Amino acid sequence: MRRFIAALLSLVMVLGLVGCGAKKEAPANGNKKQEGAGEGKKIGFVVSTQTNPFFVTLKEGAEAKAKELGVELIVLDSQDDSAKATANMEDLITRGVDLIIVNPTDSDAIVPSVEAANEAKIPVITVDRVSNGGGVVAEVASDNFAGGKMAGEFIVEQLGGKGKVVELEGIPGANSAIERGQGFNEAIKGSDIEVVAKQTADYDRVKGLEVMENILQSQSEIDAVFAHNDEMALGALEAIKASGRENIKVVGFDATDDAVKAVEAGELAATIAQQPKLMGEKAVETAMDVLNGKEVVKSIPVELQLIVKK
């Protein structure tokens, strides 16, 4: 009898230990990584330049969102060089990142790199500028055409529908420059405004100053300037100040901190506000949706706004 009781107690203890073991396994199943968490994910981000404040803010927005989501973000600077952008894309493909976000220097030149990522089965998202070919799962950008049109309509209103205007263009081949120019020229079509000079200054402040200096020497009458970005607008503004010419209205695009300050000071007539920080955030959010198998829309717009002196 005693042997039977002892054996029964041993059996109960064994069953109890098995039960405890099963209970210890339960939390492991409950601690699975939440859907959308970035742990273990690796995203590459190719930025066209880091000398332009707009793209610095774009990068900072992406980095902040990546940190929030716990995803590794590898940022590479193309230094406004299409060859460097190609090398950066190749680097990320070689590293085997899970997804690439690219802010192209040139919308045509980036196409072979996008196609190479497609072959490597690496999803691609563009931000601010698009790729004119290859497979892209999403495009995060402002409506550049609408922004250019907004600037043109403002100038038409300010000049009373007639006058002589200079257009400073962005990097040749960049879709942002093409679309902003198209929107601007659409807005002034039908008015008595004449574009007396149109020249690229590569989205650069120093080049904007130099190009504007030359235009001021060759054009005796200028009523307004539309620059495809704020850096060129601020450069043009410096050239105009140095020339002693007055009453030339300068309109930029991007609403960088320096440009907004110039607007508030009454020096820059207006700037079109993009939201680069929000673009960067949306690009990373969209990247995580793609990596987690969620459906995303192809075109993801970010709102624009005309900034004038309050």
Side-chain angles (χ1 to χ4, degrees):
M1 186 68 177
R2 288 179 179 176
R3 288 181 182 179
F4 173 75
I5 293 171
L8 184 61
L9 288 172
S10 297
L11 179 61
V12 169
M13 288 177 67
V14 169
L15 291 172
L17 287 171
V18 170
C20 289
K23 287 178 182 177
K24 286 180 181 179
E25 291 296 323
N29 293 330
N31 286 336
K32 284 183 179 179
K33 183 172 60 179
Q34 292 182 347
E35 185 180 6
E39 185 180 347
K41 305 291 186 185
K42 189 160 55 175
I43 297 173
F45 187 15
V46 178
V47 186
S48 61
T49 180
Q50 284 295 276
T51 59
N52 184 320
F54 176 87
F55 296 107
V56 173
T57 304
L58 177 72
K59 180 203 71 166
E60 289 172 348
E63 288 177 330
K65 182 56 66 173
K67 183 177 181 181
E68 177 187 323
L69 297 177
V71 61
E72 181 182 355
L73 188 71
I74 303 168
V75 181
L76 300 178
D77 181 3
S78 297
Q79 301 169 357
D80 270 336
D81 184 337
S82 295
K84 180 68 173 173
T86 298
N88 285 338
M89 291 287 287
E90 290 175 354
D91 183 6
L92 293 172
I93 292 169
T94 301
R95 293 194 200 192
V97 296
D98 297 297
L99 182 145
I100 296 174
I101 300 169
V102 59
N103 162 234
T105 298
D106 184 301
S107 300
D108 288 320
I110 202 66
V111 172
S113 297
V114 173
E115 291 173 340
N118 295 158
E119 290 178 9
K121 307 300 182 186
I122 298 174
V124 178
I125 292 172
T126 59
V127 61
D128 185 53
R129 302 169 184 166
V130 302
S131 171
N132 287 338
V136 174
V137 294
E139 300 167 345
V140 180
S142 302
D143 188 334
N144 286 300
F145 181 89
K149 190 174 182 182
M150 191 182 293
E153 289 170 345
F154 175 77
I155 288 174
V156 170
E157 179 186 341
Q158 292 293 301
L159 300 185
K162 60 181 180 180
K164 298 184 185 298
V165 178
V166 169
E167 183 179 356
L168 296 182
E169 300 177 300
I171 295 172
N175 78 290
S176 56
I178 294 168
E179 292 169 5
R180 290 172 193 182
Q182 289 174 339
F184 170 73
N185 284 281
E186 175 67 24
I188 65 173
K189 186 173 66 177
S191 71
D192 289 326
I193 289 177
E194 177 188 0
V195 177
V196 295
K198 182 184 294 190
Q199 193 171 334
T200 182
D202 295 330
Y203 285 141
D204 183 80
R205 189 181 301 202
V206 174
K207 289 182 180 178
L209 186 152
E210 293 171 348
V211 168
M212 195 65 206
E213 283 178 337
N214 294 332
I215 293 174
L216 286 164
Q217 290 173 9
S218 63
Q219 298 293 333
S220 60
E221 187 179 345
I222 299 171
D223 298 300
V225 176
F226 170 53
H228 290 185
N229 84 334
D230 285 335
E231 288 296 283
M232 295 188 297
L234 292 168
L237 188 62
E238 288 302 311
I240 292 167
K241 285 181 183 178
S243 73
R245 305 265 288 266
E246 297 180 355
N247 301 321
I248 299 177
K249 299 182 183 299
V250 181
V251 177
F253 200 119
D254 284 342
T256 62
D257 289 343
D258 286 349
V260 172
K261 288 176 185 175
V263 169
E264 290 302 319
E267 296 177 335
L268 206 62
T271 181
I272 306 300
Q274 293 199 89
Q275 301 187 67
K277 182 175 182 290
L278 182 59
M279 279 188 201
E281 292 172 353
K282 280 184 174 288
V284 173
E285 285 178 346
T286 304
M288 290 309 301
D289 285 344
V290 171
L291 293 177
N292 284 300
K294 296 181 181 179
E295 287 189 15
V296 298
V297 294
K298 177 72 178 288
S299 180
I300 302 173
V302 180
E303 290 185 0
L304 294 168
Q305 182 182 3
L306 179 70
I307 303 296
V308 295
K309 186 175 181 179
K310 296 177 182 177

